[in-house]
Amino acid sequence: MRAARLIKMVLLLQSRPSMTAAELARELEVSERTVTRDAQALSEAGVPVYADRGRVGGYRLVGGYRTRLTGLARGEAEALFLSGVPGALREMGLEDAASAARLKVSAALLPSLRDASRTAAQRFHLDAPNWFREPVTPELLPAVADAVWDDRRIAARYRRGENDVERELEPYGLVLKAGVWYLCARVSAHGSFRVYRIDRFTAVEAGGERFERSADFDLPAFWEERAEQFARSILRAEVVVRLSAEGARRLPHTVDPPTAREALARAGEPDDEGRVTVTLPVESEEVARTQLTALGAEVEVLAPATLRERFAAEAVRLAELYRR
């Protein structure tokens, strides 16, 4: 533990002209007294750490000293590629590895380039969770992430409806979609790939046995295909609507955008009132009512008759409300 901290201290001092005891203590998560002892230990070991006294003093390396301890460990290198998603790193328990990797890269750069990481971080940031939703980290996510990194089979129990189901899985990859974590895994029993929501796992136990990953598996392509299948699978009903030009423009912002664009592309020419008739796949009549209500008078429901009647009744209620 102390050896890792001493290495980190050298890398910090190598990447900056000087640092105060307070700054080092904050970065290393120790007391200033510990920083003083660590600096003395480094000096005794032959590392030229020099302490400037006074109000603007601090610690620095003398004579352009360069450590060769900048080689990235495998876990650090892998974590570095995720460093643009800080929240995801924290949730998977990889924040320390990414921090160490960034330090090593910074220490290996020329002095004129050492602020590159800070410069980029101040200009680009990825915020994965959806709006108006409090992100909740699944309790078992770190255990699943460890198994994914190590290619280790897991015995998992997860909720499916009212029951718990047990499976032996080969965890291939994790996906963070709108603040929700998913596991893409191959089921050991029959070799097919499935997608599981991490927050539905009730128990995960990693075994000592590693599995051999399929060389043909492409996580982004697999997720894109399954996500499209899922989006289409829930569209089990259809509604027929007449849309004004404004309604057609706003439709992709109200329902699933690809579905809306495909439906509009199949529509015929506008009628005498400038409206187009569109057959739109939807999840259910209730969901369609909620989504299409946002279009107001820019949409007229033609079918099914039950949905048209609900819109007509709602229109009467609104008219009476505003007449008062």
Side-chain angles (χ1 to χ4, degrees):
M1 181 69 176
R2 190 189 185 197
R5 189 175 71 242
L6 291 174
I7 292 172
K8 186 174 182 179
M9 184 173 179
V10 173
L11 291 172
L12 284 167
L13 293 174
Q14 187 173 309
S15 63
R16 307 180 194 181
S18 69
M19 295 183 69
T20 66
E23 290 171 335
L24 282 167
R26 186 166 55 252
E27 290 281 356
L28 299 172
E29 298 181 348
V30 295
S31 66
E32 292 185 31
R33 192 171 179 179
T34 299
V35 168
T36 302
R37 288 198 297 266
D38 285 352
Q40 183 177 352
L42 287 171
S43 181
E44 292 172 353
V47 179
V49 178
Y50 179 78
D52 289 318
R53 306 296 178 184
R55 186 172 59 84
V56 293
Y59 291 92
R60 61 187 176 87
L61 293 175
V62 179
Y65 176 84
R66 305 285 295 176
T67 177
R68 295 184 180 277
L69 297 172
T70 53
L72 291 178
R74 180 176 180 83
E76 294 168 346
E78 291 170 335
L80 186 60
F81 286 100
L82 293 171
S83 59
V85 197
L89 283 170
R90 284 193 300 272
E91 293 178 7
M92 289 190 292
L94 296 172
E95 189 174 23
D96 288 344
S99 176
R102 286 192 295 268
L103 269 176
K104 289 181 178 182
V105 170
S106 180
L109 292 174
L110 293 172
S112 60
L113 299 176
R114 285 179 190 156
D115 66 341
S117 60
R118 182 186 62 81
T119 301
Q122 293 303 316
R123 285 164 172 78
F124 302 99
H125 176 70
L126 176 61
D127 184 10
N130 209 341
W131 287 105
F132 312 118
R133 179 183 297 172
E134 189 69 26
V136 178
T137 303
E139 182 180 349
L140 297 173
L141 176 61
V144 176
D146 284 345
V148 169
W149 286 119
D150 291 342
D151 293 337
R152 292 189 182 276
R153 285 190 175 90
I154 59 174
R157 188 167 67 247
Y158 68 97
R159 296 188 305 274
R160 189 168 69 182
E162 300 296 324
N163 303 314
D164 275 10
V165 179
E166 294 185 0
R167 290 285 186 274
E168 185 178 87
L169 303 174
E170 298 173 1
Y172 267 67
L174 290 168
V175 175
L176 177 60
K177 169 71 171 178
V180 180
W181 284 96
Y182 297 88
L183 172 67
C184 302
R186 184 165 60 186
V187 182
S188 299
H190 46 72
S192 62
F193 285 91
R194 301 286 175 85
V195 176
Y196 302 88
R197 278 184 61 143
I198 301 294
D199 57 9
R200 291 181 183 166
F201 283 114
T202 57
V204 170
E205 184 178 350
E209 183 184 359
R210 282 188 168 89
F211 64 90
E212 185 175 345
R213 296 177 67 92
S214 170
D216 297 332
F217 183 80
D218 183 328
L219 180 60
F222 172 79
W223 176 258
E224 183 179 1
E225 178 186 350
R226 290 303 172 92
E228 184 177 350
Q229 288 177 2
F230 172 76
R232 293 184 180 280
S233 69
I234 63 174
L235 303 178
R236 302 185 181 93
E238 283 186 346
V239 298
V240 182
V241 296
R242 288 178 70 234
L243 294 164
S244 67
E246 176 63 12
R249 186 188 69 80
R250 288 164 48 188
L251 186 66
H253 303 285
T254 306
V255 301
D256 176 58
T259 302
R261 287 191 287 268
E262 289 179 12
L264 289 169
R266 293 194 300 267
E269 294 297 319
D271 58 22
D272 294 342
E273 296 180 10
R275 291 182 175 250
V276 293
T277 299
V278 174
T279 300
L280 183 68
V282 294
E283 185 174 346
S284 67
E285 187 174 313
E286 182 60 34
V287 171
R289 186 186 70 82
T290 302
Q291 293 174 330
L292 296 175
T293 296
L295 296 178
E298 308 302 329
V299 62
E300 177 190 0
V301 175
L302 301 179
T306 51
L307 184 59
R308 179 178 174 85
E309 290 166 3
R310 294 179 70 176
F311 268 79
E314 189 69 20
V316 171
R317 289 181 59 202
L318 282 171
E320 291 176 349
L321 177 64
Y322 282 97
R323 240 192 322 266
R324 291 200 301 268

